[in-house]
Amino acid sequence: MPLAPTIRTLLRLRVAIVTTESAKCLFFEKTGSAASPDIDLLFLGTGRFVAHPDITPPMTRYFGFAGDSAAYCKGQRSNRAEMRSMPLMRIPRAIRFFLMALALLAPVCQRSSAQAALLMEEPFGFFGFLNPTGHDAVYFQRICAETPVKLRRCAPGENGAVITRYQGITDYDWIAMPLLPYLYAVENASEVPSRADRETVTALRDKYHEAHLQSLGKDVPRGGNVKRGWSQFVGVAYDRRIHAFRFATTEGQDDQLIAQMNAGSNRSHFNLLTRNCADFNSGILNFYFPRTFHRTILPDAGITTPRQVTYQLLRYARQHPETQLATSDIPQIPGNRRRSRANKSIAQSLITSGYIVPLSFITPYLAGAVIVDYLIWGRYPLGLKHEQILTPEDMAPLTSSAVSTQNPQSCRGHTR
């Protein structure tokens, strides 16, 4: 939230904030005057106003100070011995000042310059036809993968990691991958092909696996359309289109998530109905936005889906603008597969995949309930028509820092 408009609204004054090596400086003056950029100190926070003895600007009449004492000091760091005390403002002026101070020091958490994003990935291939709900994952700008199963804070210049749950990665419940290898199976954006046939994609994936994924063990299969394996999370953008829903995070939250996931038992209990990828990401999002994401009987018969989780995030962001949600589109790299399909809810999957026809012969009442479920509850409008397009060379909207004001609900216990 910009400070200057807030102060002008309350007091019709202008505020300038300058941080030097000496102190943070607050300088207030009548509207219309220019704030000096080299102010150093106004209020020590000890009940006294102080100023360097060599500087005595005509600020007394503005703030009600006695005598010719100054209301600010410039330039170099000044110690207590060089400074002199000034009497407090007269009562009416003091009331105005402390109202302003309350506005500035209100209990609002400031987000550190970092962010995360929910990645809703479209279904593809034969399995995507049978189950067109798709997949989802969570990207973190500040969290990196020390190994595929261990997290750490990112070093300067690193672009963060994607954390997700997959079936068939031996006994691991979740996997962490650097962003570019996860999307394109390369470590440098200049190496991403504009078009890649199946042989090219296979070569890129094998090269990355050979260099970085041997620690997963030989028991992890490569995988394919039916049997799952490590190829699911290397070069995802060659198989499907991805929608990214960015939101801000705090340094404390990210550190706590790293500690929690590293200390937890990373052992798979995957179940398509009750412990799927969307359930996993709901748990991560609930860490940042408590009690927001949950399974529901209607729609989708209590099964969590990527589209449902995304809709809940969008609904939360509409109610909490400080989330600063932004959407992006990571296009599918052509050449390897046909274009992926849109993510669907369970009810919509049953209808569009044709399962509703035999179901209507078996039990027409249940088929009718599925149709009603979809029409009333299960559409999940996401507003994906005006997304920002991301390219391998320009992932900045997803990876660059963002400063915002945090939801107070998620500040508790998660800020530093």
Side-chain angles (χ1 to χ4, degrees), residues 58-331:
M59 292 294 293
T60 302
R61 64 181 182 276
Y62 290 164
F63 291 96
F65 294 118
D68 61 350
S69 299
Y72 68 97
C73 61
K74 290 184 178 179
Q76 306 299 320
R77 179 186 295 271
S78 301
N79 56 41
R80 296 286 182 92
E82 293 177 327
M83 305 176 105
R84 54 179 171 169
S85 299
M86 299 174 59
L88 289 174
M89 297 179 291
R90 290 193 295 267
I91 297 299
R93 305 275 186 178
I95 292 175
R96 260 172 57 161
F97 180 84
F98 285 110
L99 284 176
M100 178 184 62
L102 287 175
L104 289 173
L105 302 177
V108 177
C109 288
Q110 285 293 321
R111 285 191 185 275
S112 302
S113 55
Q115 58 199 22
L118 176 66
L119 306 181
M120 186 180 72
E121 305 173 6
E122 293 185 346
F124 68 93
F126 179 70
F127 186 78
F129 172 77
L130 296 178
N131 178 22
T133 56
H135 182 75
D136 60 1
V138 183
Y139 160 75
F140 293 93
Q141 180 211 356
R142 197 183 348 237
I143 300 177
C144 283
E146 182 171 330
T147 71
V149 293
K150 185 177 181 181
L151 307 177
R152 60 170 174 82
R153 283 286 294 272
C154 292
E158 293 184 292
N159 284 331
V162 177
I163 305 175
T164 185
R165 170 185 283 170
Y166 278 107
Q167 183 184 14
I169 314 302
T170 60
D171 292 330
Y172 293 117
D173 188 44
W174 56 266
I175 293 293
M177 283 284 293
L179 179 63
L180 277 179
Y182 180 80
L183 294 176
Y184 305 113
V186 298
E187 298 181 80
N188 193 312
S190 62
E191 301 174 7
V192 180
S194 58
R195 185 179 182 86
D197 57 23
R198 186 158 300 182
E199 290 73 20
T200 301
V201 173
T202 299
L204 290 174
R205 286 173 170 166
D206 287 344
K207 180 180 178 181
Y208 187 84
H209 176 265
E210 192 78 20
H212 300 284
L213 299 180
Q214 295 296 323
S215 61
L216 292 176
K218 297 181 179 180
D219 294 335
V220 180
R222 191 181 197 286
N225 286 335
V226 179
K227 188 176 182 180
R228 297 308 194 183
W230 59 261
S231 62
Q232 297 175 98
F233 51 83
V234 181
V236 173
Y238 299 116
D239 292 330
R240 49 176 143 208
R241 180 186 184 189
I242 301 165
H243 304 276
F245 300 85
R246 191 200 69 195
F247 56 90
T249 69
T250 68
E251 192 171 336
Q253 287 173 321
D254 291 346
D255 286 344
Q256 289 190 30
L257 183 67
I258 292 172
Q260 177 176 299
M261 296 195 71
N262 284 342
S265 175
N266 188 3
R267 289 292 177 265
S268 177
H269 300 283
F270 183 91
N271 184 290
L272 187 62
L273 302 181
T274 61
R275 289 180 58 88
N276 57 38
C277 61
D279 290 307
F280 175 78
N281 293 309
S282 291
I284 290 181
L285 292 173
N286 272 327
F287 182 85
Y288 289 88
F289 311 109
R291 299 179 298 278
T292 300
F293 300 86
H294 51 82
R295 64 176 68 247
T296 57
I297 300 301
L298 293 175
D300 291 341
I303 301 173
T304 310
T305 65
R307 193 175 182 95
Q308 179 190 131
V309 174
T310 303
Y311 177 74
Q312 290 177 352
L313 177 60
L314 291 173
R315 184 175 60 185
Y316 178 88
R318 284 195 296 267
Q319 298 169 355
H320 301 84
E322 66 274 9
T323 308
Q324 290 195 336
L325 193 77
T327 61
S328 302
D329 178 6
I330 303 175

Side-chain angles (χ1 to χ4, degrees), residues 356-372:
I356 195 70
V357 176
L359 186 63
S360 63
F361 286 103
I362 298 172
T363 168
Y365 295 105
L366 181 58
V370 170
I371 295 174
V372 171

